[in-house]
Amino acid sequence: MSLKASNLSFRYGRGPWLFRDVNMTIEPGEVVGLVGPSGVGKTTFARILAGYEQPRQGSVELDGQPLPTDGFHPVQLVWQHPEQAVNPRWRMREIVSEGGQPDPKLLEMLGIQREWMNRWPNELSGGELQRFCVARALGPNTKFLIADEMTTMLDAITQAQIWQAALEYAQPRNIGLLVISHEQLLIDRLCSRVIHFTEGQIEQIKLFGG
Ligand SMILES: Nc1ncnc2c1ncn2[C@@H]1O[C@H](COP(=O)(O)OP(=O)(O)OP(=O)(O)O)[C@@H](O)[C@H]1O
């Protein structure tokens, strides 16, 4: 069940091409880093993989099949602004089960307290809200998780707790992870492979530890 991007090209409107003919494959259970300078197109690339944006050229396939255009998306994206990723009119209980009932074990691993379930999104801190977004993204049908600066705005302890839970939960389930971050230490610690996104292309793929 690999996630494969083939010859992906994208530009906004008539603007310059952000990237052209990008090829990338992530295997199930793999933890891959994606790094590159600000504004180079990493978030846009992530949005295409998760089905929020259509490529101008090329395709994204999961296990050789096009990604579904409706229903639950097997490639889930968590980005750095949880408050913009939730419906403010829903209670947390509804939000977290948007893609299916979350595993209670995962909620516990993420430190989600039962009493938070009845709250509205604006009654939680950014870190508490992001825990819910991670729980929602690691739903029962998720095959790949794209973490786009997922813990950038959080303190070191919360950051470590969320990553530990995400990895501990994803790995035995063979969920692949794409970690987009400017924090080199985080990338070094988590990823077995790092993709460098530079002007318009994926420039090199560096392998660690085989
Ligand atoms: N909806 C949009 N319409 C037009 N241009 C956009 C749009 N969204 C992003 N861009 C532009 O596309 C370029 C790439 O943005 P993107 O957010 O994908 O980069 P990034 O590599 O993730 O950057 P960062 O590391 O700062 O998050 C930027 O120049 C940005 O201004």
Side-chain angles (χ1 to χ4, degrees), residues 12 18 36-45 80 148-149 182:
Y12 287 102
L18 281 183
S38 192
V40 82
K42 303 180 299 294
T43 293
T44 306
F45 183 67
Q80 64 174 311
D148 186 2
E149 301 287 358
H182 289 288

